[in-house]
RNA sequence: CGGAGCGUGGCGCAGUCUGGUAGCGCACUUGCAUGGGGUGCAAGGGGUCCCGAGUUCAAAUCUCGGCGCUCCGACCA
């Protein structure tokens, strides 16, 4: 491809709208353009990257035996009413009406449609197991789209759905997708990690996420330093302390703590470690009453764990000030445990404390020397907190470390969550009707491109991993317009590499060297060849990988073999 | 949905407070020079100043209403 005829504009200045580096670089390099909030056009150069990612995905999905199909973006509301998600999904689901005032949705995902296909097409266990996938545009009306294509409203997703006669087959199919995903992300050239996850809104029992590791990632993932345990922070269990609780030594005392509403204030005021205080959070329960959740002062509540407890409203909702007042007799900031009437869940780490500090249920007052059995009988032990770095791994080996990641894939075992309400049934060997077991498997295709840049860039621009680079080689002739020798060598080289099937971007613009180098680095083409009078005098060309600091020279006649060796 | 901010050629911004000829840098076009790290000189093209209403002799500028966007939070995967 000749750059002089390629529709691309690079930009020196960073657009004001872009916050994260991948978004900035995608705009500056001319990969995408914004149409409206969370809506992006993919320009030709960006599309080349996208298609490389799609190709890898297709090859591996096909290799895993899945069948590609395409389903409509617009879906009738009836299907969503059948599955129950018409009411459950919330405002992220874009609902639209056609000219007859019939309700439709812009598909954020396709469980309903594929289940409809399954119940029509799959009649017999002989047709199972089967896996369908598509690569297609999804729409989720995000409250706050941000970070360019990383969290867009419209994005491209690879979604796959498998159907099985029984759980064992589902587990096999899930395992096959886990392996396919591992191959896919390995082939993109990105550093990634598979972690255990909570299955969230889509529902189901078992699920894992694939994260591209990047400092700027939105998600925290935890892993053991001693084995292969890895989980989303939300899904990581906190083990109860192994040491027994010390005996109570202090008497309970009420102390004045004017204005100390937060643990931080309290710890500073009383000159006590936050880890010797407890936080009491009042949340809405399921039957009108409130529930108290207790975590150690230096720990944070894990919302996901909390809302799974019996009697706690899901989604978790903190009680407002009036409800707190009614339940405790005081305002948030001074809520405590002694004499509290409602149900109390206490985190294991909080339960391990003796002689701790908590609110006194009285404004500007706290209690010290509080002890569980003596002062607060009847608290239910629970795992309530977010794990922190250094916690013992739930796997029993090693300690937890925390890293940042960008979620690019998610696989679920859905079981019969959709097939039962939507009556997707087949006949088994005995001729009995039985509901299908189902798995679903997503990859954020457009997000992979942004994640690749987050993980691979420097101050000059993008550094594409070879497998998804828009071009493999950028050919930079210097003084092309004036030097016949440079022109002849360039034309010959471009033809030779192109004929060999290598994707070459030839910068044949009448621009000065600095401009060409700067653009080549911004665009992030991994391999750069420079053709110049200086080298040609000695019969040599110049090569530099985007990650290299220095160029290397080699004989001009060996260009093809030299490059091939580097393309791997 | 709550808070903050922004809207002026394609991009980045000044001008708005204190009303009076719409400006700068980048990009783009043309010419000449230059040719190993965003080069120089010169000449050009391109703007309903987000929209609407109002005040005024006069509105980018003041007032009111609306729309759009960005960031933080809540929310969500």
């Amino acid at each position: 491809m000749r750059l002089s005829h390629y529709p691309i504009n690079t930009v020196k200045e960073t657009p004001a709208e872009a916050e994260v580096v991948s978004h900035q670089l995608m705009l500056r390099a001319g990969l995408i353009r914004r149409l409206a909030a969370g809506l992006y056009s993919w320009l030709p150069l960006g599309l080349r990257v996208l298609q490389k990612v799609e190709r890898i995905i297709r090859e591996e999905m096909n290799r895993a035996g899945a069948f590609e199909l395409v389903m409509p973006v617009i879906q009738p509301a009836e299907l969503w009413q059948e599955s129950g998600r018409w009411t459950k999904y919330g405002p992220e689901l874009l609902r639209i009406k056609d000219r007859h005032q019939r309700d439709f949705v812009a598909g954020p995902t396709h469980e309903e449609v594929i289940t409809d296909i399954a119940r029509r097409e799959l009649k017999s266990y002989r047709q199972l197991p089967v896996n369908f996938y598509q690569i297609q545009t999804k729409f989720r009306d995000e409250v706050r789209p941000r970070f360019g294509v990383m969290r867009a409203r419209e994005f491209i997703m690879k979604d796959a759905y498998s159907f099985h006669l029984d759980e064992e087959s589902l587990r096999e199919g899930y395992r096959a997708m886990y392996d396919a995903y591992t191959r896919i992300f390995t082939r993109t050239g990105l550093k990634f990690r598979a972690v255990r996850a909570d299955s969230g809104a889509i529902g189901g029992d078992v699920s894992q996420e694939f994260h591209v590791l990047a400092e700027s990632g939105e998600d925290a993932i935890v892993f053991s330093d001693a084995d292969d345990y890895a989980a989303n922070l939300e899904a990581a269990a906190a083990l109860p302390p192994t040491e027994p609780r010390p005996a109570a030594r202090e008497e309970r005392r009420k102390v004045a703590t004017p204005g100390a509403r937060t643990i931080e204030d309290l710890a500073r005021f009383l000159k006590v470690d936050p880890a010797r205080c407890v936080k009491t959070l009042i949340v809405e329960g399921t039957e009108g009453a409130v529930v108290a959740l207790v975590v150690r002062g230096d720990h944070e509540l894990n919302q996901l764990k909390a809302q799974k407890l019996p009697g706690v409203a899901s989604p978790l909702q903190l009680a407002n000030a009036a409800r707190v007042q009614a339940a405790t007799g005081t305002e948030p900031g001074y809520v405590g445990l002694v004499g509290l009437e409602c149900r109390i869940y206490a985190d294991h780490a909080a339960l391990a404390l003796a002689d701790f500090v908590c609110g006194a249920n009285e404004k500007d007052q706290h209690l010290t020397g509080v002890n569980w059995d003596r002062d607060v009988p009847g608290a239910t032990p629970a795992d309530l907190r977010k794990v922190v770095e250094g916690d013992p791994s739930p796997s029993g080996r090693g300690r937890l470390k925390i890293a940042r990641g960008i979620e690019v894939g998610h696989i679920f075992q859905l079981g019969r969550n959709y097939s039962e309400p939507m009556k997707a049934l087949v006949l088994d060997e005995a001729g009995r009707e039985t509901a299908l077991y189902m798995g679903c498997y997503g990859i954020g295709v457009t997000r992979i491109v942004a994640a690749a840049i987050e993980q691979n860039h420097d101050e000059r621009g993008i550094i594409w991993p070879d497998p998804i680079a828009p071009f493999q080689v950028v050919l930079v002739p210097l003084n092309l317009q004036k030097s016949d020798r440079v022109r002849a060598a360039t034309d010959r080289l471009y033809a030779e590499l192109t004929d060999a099937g290598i994707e070459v971007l030839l910068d044949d613009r009448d621009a000065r060297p600095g401009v060409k180098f700067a653009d080549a680095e911004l665009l992030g083409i991994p391999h750069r060849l420079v053709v110049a009078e200086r080298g040609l005098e000695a019969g040599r060309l110049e090569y530099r990988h985007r990650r290299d600091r220095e160029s290397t020279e080699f004989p001009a006649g060996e260009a093809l073999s030299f490059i091939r060796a580097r393309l791997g």
Side-chain angles (χ1 to χ4, degrees):
Chain A
M1 188 64 64
R2 290 176 184 269
L3 191 50
S4 63
H5 292 100
Y6 200 69
I8 187 172
N9 283 306
T10 57
V11 178
K12 256 192 253 188
E13 279 153 314
T14 301
E17 70 191 64
E19 182 75 359
V20 296
V21 69
S22 61
H23 189 196
Q24 293 171 352
L25 290 173
M26 289 180 84
L27 290 170
R28 287 188 54 209
L31 270 50
I32 55 168
R33 291 291 180 245
R34 192 181 67 90
L35 177 65
L39 303 176
Y40 289 88
S41 299
W42 286 77
L43 302 185
L45 189 75
L47 186 61
R48 286 183 75 101
V49 179
L50 204 51
Q51 287 175 336
K52 291 221 170 166
V53 174
E54 287 182 3
R55 183 173 171 185
I56 292 171
I57 293 172
R58 273 203 178 86
E59 286 175 3
E60 293 301 335
M61 290 302 293
N62 292 344
R63 185 210 296 251
F67 298 101
E68 186 169 8
L69 47 62
V70 183
M71 294 177 267
V73 172
I74 303 300
Q75 311 174 9
E78 286 78 17
L79 282 181
W80 288 71
Q81 286 155 353
E82 246 187 284
S83 73
R85 288 207 294 184
W86 177 254
T87 47
K88 273 193 212 151
Y89 209 95
E92 219 176 281
L93 180 63
L94 180 67
R95 295 148 212 259
I96 51 183
K97 284 184 191 294
D98 72 1
R99 58 162 64 192
H100 305 295
Q101 301 302 305
R102 291 192 196 108
D103 289 313
F104 288 84
V105 306
T109 172
H110 280 67
E111 282 82 6
E112 281 80 2
V113 180
I114 197 72
T115 303
D116 184 61
I117 290 174
R119 69 183 169 186
R120 292 167 192 274
E121 305 299 326
L122 304 177
K123 304 290 181 197
S124 156
Y125 73 96
R126 292 173 193 275
Q127 295 169 287
L128 303 177
V130 64
N131 186 328
F132 299 108
Y133 78 98
Q134 63 175 347
I135 296 178
Q136 184 230 30
T137 297
K138 298 281 184 275
F139 192 94
R140 293 184 187 175
D141 201 358
E142 294 279 349
V143 194
R144 188 146 87 81
R146 60 187 127 174
F147 307 149
V149 299
M150 195 98 86
R151 185 174 286 274
R153 291 196 291 178
E154 192 178 295
F155 59 98
I156 298 173
M157 185 173 179
K158 187 287 297 175
D159 46 324
Y161 308 89
S162 66
F163 295 94
H164 309 267
L165 184 65
D166 54 34
E167 275 191 288
E168 193 192 333
S169 169
L170 171 58
R171 277 194 294 273
E172 277 169 27
Y174 179 88
R175 182 74 211 175
M177 280 296 107
Y178 179 93
D179 293 340
Y181 274 39
T182 301
R183 282 196 301 271
I184 287 167
F185 293 117
T186 301
R187 280 186 61 189
T188 58
L190 300 174
K191 290 187 274 298
F192 71 98
R193 186 126 198 183
V195 306
R196 300 175 193 209
D198 185 84
S199 47
I202 294 183
D205 303 323
V206 179
S207 113
Q208 281 163 294
E209 294 172 346
F210 288 78
H211 284 260
V212 167
L213 302 177
E215 290 288 322
S216 56
E218 273 196 279
D219 298 316
I221 58 179
V222 304
F223 54 93
S224 165
D225 60 8
D227 65 11
D228 62 358
Y229 176 85
N232 187 308
L233 180 75
E234 291 179 326
L239 296 182
T242 47
E243 287 164 27
R245 181 197 301 156
R249 307 168 71 135
E250 296 178 24
E251 287 305 304
R252 192 170 88 214
R253 286 201 306 134
K254 190 191 285 184
V255 293
T257 53
R261 318 180 126 269
T262 66
I263 292 290
E264 204 180 309
D265 295 341
L266 182 67
R268 200 178 317 118
F269 188 85
L270 293 178
K271 297 193 172 53
V272 60
D273 189 337
R276 300 207 48 80
C277 307
V278 304
K279 276 191 265 207
T280 308
L281 300 157
I282 305 296
V283 301
E284 293 297 336
T286 45
E287 277 135 32
V290 296
V291 176
L293 304 177
V294 186
V295 295
R296 216 168 73 185
D298 58 330
H299 286 152
E300 276 186 69
L301 181 74
N302 181 321
Q303 182 184 331
L304 223 71
K305 290 177 180 175
Q307 68 196 21
K308 282 183 182 165
L309 295 169
V312 174
S314 178
L316 191 74
Q317 202 191 344
L318 282 172
N320 63 30
R323 298 271 291 161
V324 172
Q325 187 82 39
T328 68
T330 188
E331 59 190 82
Y334 305 99
V335 174
L337 295 165
V338 179
L340 205 56
E341 299 278 304
C342 65
R343 182 167 198 173
I344 299 173
Y345 283 110
D347 183 70
H348 299 299
L351 271 177
L353 293 175
D355 302 327
F356 59 88
V357 180
C358 73
N361 290 330
E362 197 176 320
K363 186 168 165 60
D364 295 334
Q365 303 285 328
H366 280 81
L367 299 176
T368 65
V370 182
N371 283 281
W372 288 104
D373 295 340
R374 186 186 71 199
D375 304 318
V376 195
T380 310
D383 177 9
L384 282 179
R385 68 180 176 96
K386 292 182 181 168
V387 295
V388 295
E389 192 144 315
D391 275 345
S393 168
S395 61
R397 282 182 301 280
R399 304 212 157 259
L400 292 179
K401 290 190 171 287
I402 297 185
R404 307 297 303 180
I406 299 165
E407 182 190 342
V408 290
H410 202 159
I411 58 178
F412 301 84
Q413 290 181 27
L414 293 174
R416 292 166 145 171
N417 291 4
Y418 291 86
S419 59
E420 278 176 349
M422 293 185 65
K423 300 190 174 55
L425 311 170
V426 293
L427 295 181
D428 66 13
E429 262 178 289
R432 286 179 305 234
E433 277 196 329
T434 178
L436 288 163
Y437 283 85
M438 185 172 168
C440 84
Y441 319 93
I443 290 180
V445 181
T446 37
R447 189 182 269 186
I448 286 177
V449 179
I453 297 172
E454 288 292 334
Q455 193 180 77
N456 299 283
H457 68 272
D458 62 18
E459 64 289 345
R460 294 177 174 193
I462 302 167
I463 307 175
W464 291 114
D466 275 56
I468 61 173
F471 294 93
Q472 296 168 288
V473 174
V474 59
L475 184 56
V476 182
L478 305 185
N479 206 10
L480 178 69
Q481 272 66 20
K482 292 273 178 66
S483 165
D484 291 338
R485 176 143 66 175
V486 170
R487 174 161 293 283
T490 300
D491 287 347
R492 198 165 55 239
L493 193 55
Y494 179 65
E496 187 183 13
L497 297 179
T498 305
D499 288 348
I502 296 169
E503 297 166 311
V504 183
L505 183 63
L506 167 58
D507 192 348
D508 58 342
R509 297 174 300 175
D510 182 11
R512 293 171 58 89
V515 174
K516 295 187 178 186
F517 292 148
D519 274 345
E521 281 154 0
L522 175 60
L523 297 184
I525 314 296
H527 306 275
R528 185 182 84 184
L529 283 176
V530 175
V531 184
E533 284 280 0
R534 204 165 74 184
L536 290 176
E537 299 263 356
R540 300 180 83 78
L541 294 171
E542 204 175 294
Y543 167 84
R544 183 159 155 188
H545 188 271
R546 181 66 181 76
R547 287 196 187 276
D548 292 344
R549 300 176 132 251
E550 307 271 315
S551 299
T552 53
E553 293 198 343
F554 65 92
E558 298 169 13
L560 183 57
S561 58
F562 185 91
I563 284 293
R564 272 203 171 128
R566 257 139 259 262
L567 292 178

